[in-house]
Amino acid sequence: MRLWKALLVGTGLSLSAALAQTTITIATVNNPDMVTMQKLSGEFEKKYPDIKLNWVVLPENELRQKVTTDIATNAGSYDVLTIGTYETPIWGKNGWLVEMSGLPASYDLEDVLKPVRAGLSYQGKLYALPFYAESSMLYYRKDLFAAKKLAVPAQPTWTQAAAWAKQLHDPSKGVYGICLRGLPGWGENMAFLSTLVNTYGGRWFDENWKPQLTSPEWKRAISQYVELVTKYGPPGVTSNGFTENLTLMSEGKCAMWIDATVAAGYLANPKTSKVADKIGFAKAPVAVTPRGAHWLWSWALAIPKSSKKVDAAKTFIAWATSKEYIELVGNTQGWVSAPPGTRYSTYNNPNYQKAAPFAKVVLESINTADPTKPTLKPVPYTGVQFVGIPEFQAIGTQVGQFIAGIVAGKTSLDGGLNQAQTAVEKLMKEAGYLK
Amino acid sequence: MTHRSSLSKARPETIRPNTLWLLGPAMLVLIIWTQIPFLLTIYHSFRRFDLLNPERQGYVGFGNFVSLLTDSIFWTSIGNTLVLVGAVLVVTIVVGLFLALLFYQDFPGRALARTLVISPFFVMPVVSALIWKNMLMHPVYGLFAWAAQIFGQKPVDWLAAYPMQSIVAMVSWQWIPFALLLILTGLQSLSKEQLEAAKIDGASAWQEFRYIIVPHLAQTLSVVVMLETIFLLTIFAEIYASTSGGPGLATTTLPYLIYLKAFAEYRIGVAAAGAVFAVILANIVAIFVLRLIGRNLQATKGGMG
């Protein structure tokens, strides 16, 4: 009898505790900064004991699929989504996201970098708060460059970069001249290649949405890329994405790498990088025009309309993107690992300036990336390394495959680009942009 | 009362009572389980359903099918699917037959060896693909690259240089045990006396193989071909985890193309149309294979009679 009573009381207690507590489900990417966020979630639960966090952490591609199908079918499995500057305006337009309004004064929205805020808005309404933001830049090995008496200016050109790659390529010693993304995908090789095409004066579409993939600018940019990765790149380029290149670079296998600025904190951290004290930082190289030579991206946290716990979700997002959180990461994980690119106050913080030798280049790159004027010639779209239309995932993925085919020698440069052009024209016709 | 009279009238029914009401619920679940997804697929294949663009949805007639049929990628993927299935069938049956003949012999430790040789079949496809990709075929860290360097050769980037061959190797590695197991069972039903008699008559090893073992295995081999074809047509995980259909379109098979349409492009309508084609393709191949097997079985029967 007593046992029964104890059991009954026990279940009653745990039930009432469960009722008072809100559990929110957070879907996020398994990038190092998000893993840190998950590690620090105990601090949040300490501060807000009535909110419990439930994590779904996945690689970028899988997360994107889960989150997209979830929100498009209004399934409501998640309360907090990790999405980027590509998805946010499109989903905001579709009415799938809760507007980020009514934030507490202590949040200090004005402190958030302006281009990043603009990238996460649709028609002036903010639909997500940035967790970290990035542009792209050039990483190089100071020791290898010094050995060959090469100096890197603050703003290198692609001609220079190609010459350096040739001089520093030394596979017998396990060092490759240049590491670049080759893994097909709109967020993988096409992100980098879009910036390359931009700086060579090219564009995805003309003002009438006619694809431009067979233009001389595209041909010049892609042939430069193919030459670099096949002659001076590591073997297996077509399976190297951001993560694989990050590993290669931090293992000391690349003399140069052009990629996301968020890698800087990882490369400059002796705990995660074998060459932490030998990494130099410069702006992404330019060719014909500086326009669109480096991208603008932000991983941001948003709330789907289907969530039933909007308030708790908003509390969490405000915490994870706050000054207080950045401070917490700085103090517990080291300032070099603080989430970059989101707040002016981070860059004014002497602790961060001391720990992050790359801070200035990153801030300048983000501030000069303009998604509204991404190319030399006018375009009907916004986005530097993507085209801000729902169809771009399909377009980018297919073109990415064709370019990987060129790199692997399956098709010629002209053949591959012609196929890509035909595929994009077909997609654009079916989507109703072209008659 | 009618019940009893019917019982007394027809004897077979007393032996076999009406079990439909027992089977019914299970059948119903099965029908719901298998047919509703299929009907939904057909429904969606006639609609524009772009997940990211809720404004543009609705009935499009055969639009999705036309979109696929006019797409060179679709035809490439069908070709790739057939090449993959064909190549894996040949490799698994040839190697499986060879291994089965080996394992048919008596040798010490045979039981253990048999267990070991079957093990690849129990490795999950994604795991096996990742092992092949990162531990064996990787041009920097892989075992093959290491071996090549020992012999002074340049390491090969297998998945980029020989993508389809690499996939065939991976899938074959997984399915050889399956072929081996079935063929071995077939062999064990062959009476040893027949072989002894042949030996006494002075048959060579090749003649034994050609005129006794192969005809005896005809049925088994047909079954292996049929079962493997059905499974191989849906090979997906190996491609997903290793080459992602590339480089270019070199390893984009029909299942992978459907996946791309649905989860990389979010065009559910086109993906559904692709799935309908996949069902048609599977049926064509199945009918073709079944007819082949049927003829085979008749031939062996005729031979025996």
Side-chain angles (χ1 to χ4, degrees):
Chain A
M1 274 311 270
R2 201 173 283 169
L3 184 71
W4 273 112
K5 245 181 211 165
L7 270 177
L8 274 175
V9 171
T11 40
L13 274 179
S14 60
L15 262 179
S16 61
L19 281 177
Q21 218 171 32
T22 319
T23 303
I24 54 172
T25 304
I26 301 158
T28 196
V29 189
N30 67 349
N31 288 358
D33 292 83
M34 284 72 155
V35 173
T36 306
M37 163 164 74
Q38 190 190 6
K39 251 195 281 175
L40 293 173
S41 61
E43 299 286 328
F44 175 82
E45 289 175 332
K46 226 187 285 168
K47 196 171 172 194
Y48 302 95
D50 52 341
I51 301 176
K52 228 178 106 31
L53 306 179
N54 183 16
W55 293 87
V56 178
V57 185
L58 291 168
E60 184 173 333
N61 280 340
E62 272 127 81
L63 177 96
R64 202 166 256 139
Q65 285 164 14
K66 282 252 160 74
V67 164
T68 308
T69 42
D70 182 83
I71 200 160
T73 54
N74 205 20
S77 319
Y78 310 110
D79 302 297
V80 175
L81 309 174
T82 307
I83 54 176
T85 39
Y86 167 70
E87 291 93 349
T88 310
I90 296 174
W91 294 8
K93 182 185 170 200
N94 285 348
W96 289 348
L97 300 173
V98 175
E99 197 194 334
M100 286 292 168
S101 53
L103 293 159
S106 63
Y107 185 78
D108 195 3
L109 198 57
E110 289 301 309
D111 185 40
V112 176
L113 264 64
K114 219 177 151 205
V116 178
R117 252 187 293 152
L120 297 172
S121 303
Y122 175 71
Q123 293 188 341
K125 283 183 182 169
L126 190 63
Y127 284 102
L129 295 175
F131 179 65
Y132 74 73
E134 61 175 34
S135 182
S136 53
M137 67 178 179
L138 169 71
Y139 301 99
Y140 63 95
R141 286 278 299 281
K142 285 191 284 191
D143 53 332
L144 299 176
F145 274 70
K148 294 252 175 180
K149 298 199 169 47
L150 301 170
V152 179
Q155 176 59 77
T157 66
W158 270 107
T159 321
Q160 287 174 318
W164 294 332
K166 192 175 173 187
Q167 278 174 281
L168 296 167
H169 187 57
D170 194 356
S172 60
K173 292 212 180 93
V175 175
Y176 304 102
I178 190 164
C179 292
L180 295 171
R181 294 182 183 190
L183 185 72
W186 70 270
E188 286 285 2
N189 64 348
M190 291 324 291
F192 167 74
L193 285 170
S194 297
T195 64
L196 187 69
V197 167
N198 290 342
T199 191
Y200 271 86
R203 51 186 172 168
W204 272 97
F205 299 101
D206 71 3
E207 299 95 313
N208 303 316
W209 290 107
K210 179 118 181 69
Q212 301 291 308
L213 274 68
T214 44
S215 63
E217 292 89 356
W218 266 83
K219 281 184 186 165
R220 271 201 290 278
I222 303 301
S223 77
Q224 171 75 281
Y225 164 76
V226 173
E227 190 192 324
L228 283 175
V229 293
T230 49
K231 281 194 186 156
Y232 316 119
V237 169
T238 48
S239 40
N240 289 351
F242 170 75
T243 319
E244 290 80 3
N245 280 321
L246 180 60
T247 309
L248 284 169
M249 189 75 195
S250 61
E251 297 263 318
K253 290 194 181 290
C254 312
M256 275 189 285
W257 178 36
I258 296 143
D259 215 305
T261 55
V262 72
Y266 191 89
L267 290 175
N269 188 344
K271 271 186 235 155
T272 47
S273 162
K274 283 188 188 160
V275 288
D277 53 340
K278 301 189 185 101
I279 300 279
F281 309 94
K283 285 191 158 187
V286 297
V288 180
T289 168
R291 271 211 195 151
H294 49 263
W295 68 61
L296 178 71
W297 181 257
S298 168
W299 278 118
L301 303 173
I303 306 169
K305 271 268 164 69
S306 53
S307 169
K308 289 180 188 72
K309 297 152 189 168
V310 173
D311 289 336
K314 207 175 261 179
T315 310
F316 172 77
I317 293 178
W319 175 80
T321 58
S322 65
K323 289 181 200 166
E324 177 200 347
Y325 174 80
I326 293 170
E327 192 96 3
L328 179 68
V329 177
N331 291 335
T332 57
Q333 317 288 314
W335 274 96
V336 71
S337 309
T342 54
R343 286 175 171 273
Y344 295 112
S345 55
T346 312
Y347 290 89
N348 294 330
N349 186 323
N351 288 326
Y352 187 67
Q353 286 169 350
K354 206 166 66 188
F358 44 83
K360 206 175 135 243
V361 187
V362 174
L363 185 63
E364 263 176 39
S365 297
I366 293 178
N367 275 333
T368 53
D370 185 357
T372 57
K373 288 193 194 68
T375 51
L376 191 61
K377 295 176 191 163
V379 285
Y381 58 86
T382 58
V384 179
Q385 78 282 25
F386 56 81
V387 177
I389 54 172
E391 291 76 14
F392 183 70
Q393 301 202 44
I395 291 167
T397 304
Q398 283 197 8
V399 176
Q401 287 276 20
F402 285 117
I403 289 178
I406 299 174
V407 172
K410 299 283 161 209
T411 48
S412 66
L413 178 77
D414 287 342
L417 286 178
N418 282 340
Q419 280 178 302
Q421 171 82 5
T422 316
V424 177
E425 271 175 13
K426 184 166 151 45
L427 278 167
M428 291 304 277
K429 262 189 208 133
E430 284 171 12
Y433 290 86
L434 289 172
K435 285 284 147 325
Chain B
M1 296 307 109
T2 45
H3 186 59
R4 187 178 282 176
S5 64
S6 74
L7 273 181
S8 55
K9 228 186 269 170
R11 258 200 101 199
E13 277 175 38
T14 56
I15 300 163
R16 246 192 267 161
N18 187 359
T19 50
L20 188 65
W21 64 276
L22 279 172
L23 281 174
M27 295 271 283
L28 196 69
V29 169
L30 197 70
I31 287 168
I32 291 173
W33 208 256
T34 58
Q35 296 313 302
I36 288 193
F38 183 60
L39 290 177
L40 270 177
T41 306
I42 291 177
Y43 169 74
H44 280 305
S45 69
F46 287 103
R47 294 179 66 83
R48 187 199 301 281
F49 184 17
D50 186 336
L51 276 189
L52 295 177
N53 205 340
E55 287 163 22
R56 285 170 56 84
Q57 293 191 358
Y59 178 75
V60 289
F62 284 93
N64 292 326
F65 293 93
V66 171
S67 164
L68 263 185
L69 290 174
T70 54
D71 198 337
S72 65
I73 298 173
F74 173 72
W75 295 105
T76 315
S77 78
I78 298 248
N80 285 338
T81 311
L82 295 177
V83 167
L84 177 66
V85 173
V88 173
L89 271 179
V90 170
V91 173
T92 52
I93 287 178
V94 170
V95 180
L97 185 59
F98 176 73
L99 286 177
L101 288 171
L102 275 185
F103 280 90
Y104 181 53
Q105 317 298 325
D106 258 323
F107 59 86
R110 187 171 71 160
L112 180 70
R114 275 186 184 175
T115 316
L116 285 179
V117 81
I118 294 163
S119 50
F121 197 54
F122 299 108
V123 179
M124 278 177 277
V126 176
V127 176
S128 106
L130 288 177
I131 290 173
W132 277 83
K133 180 189 178 189
N134 294 320
M135 295 172 73
L136 298 177
M137 289 175 164
H138 197 284
V140 179
Y141 315 111
L143 190 73
F144 297 166
W146 176 76
Q149 271 164 338
I150 281 186
F151 293 108
Q153 302 289 314
K154 232 183 137 213
V156 177
D157 184 7
W158 294 98
L159 289 172
Y162 306 102
M164 187 50 101
Q165 290 91 329
S166 306
I167 297 281
V168 169
M170 279 181 215
V171 178
S172 300
W173 179 77
Q174 282 227 294
W175 284 89
I176 284 170
F178 179 78
L180 162 70
L181 209 62
L182 289 191
I183 297 173
L184 194 58
T185 323
L187 274 179
Q188 278 166 345
S189 70
L190 177 65
S191 74
K192 295 236 166 169
E193 285 142 30
Q194 222 176 336
L195 285 176
E196 273 168 27
K199 260 193 200 115
I200 291 166
D201 287 344
S204 68
W206 167 251
Q207 283 171 326
E208 243 179 60
F209 174 74
R210 173 67 189 83
Y211 295 107
I212 299 181
I213 296 179
V214 169
H216 177 77
L217 285 179
Q219 287 188 26
T220 314
L221 290 178
S222 319
V223 172
V224 173
V225 170
M226 187 171 72
L227 289 179
E228 277 198 21
T229 311
I230 292 167
F231 288 116
L232 294 176
L233 277 173
T234 60
I235 286 287
F236 168 78
E238 287 85 350
I239 295 168
Y240 173 75
S242 63
T243 62
S244 305
L249 300 169
T251 54
T252 302
T253 59
L254 188 55
Y256 194 77
L257 183 72
I258 295 169
Y259 161 81
L260 280 183
K261 295 283 172 208
F263 294 107
E265 305 182 4
Y266 302 109
R267 296 165 78 198
I268 305 299
V270 179
V276 172
F277 276 120
V279 171
I280 294 171
L281 179 73
N283 276 308
I284 291 174
V285 174
I287 291 167
F288 179 72
V289 172
L290 278 178
R291 191 167 285 175
L292 198 83
I293 290 171
R295 205 176 294 153
N296 229 324
L297 291 183
Q298 273 171 356
T300 47
K301 241 186 221 163
M304 279 174 183

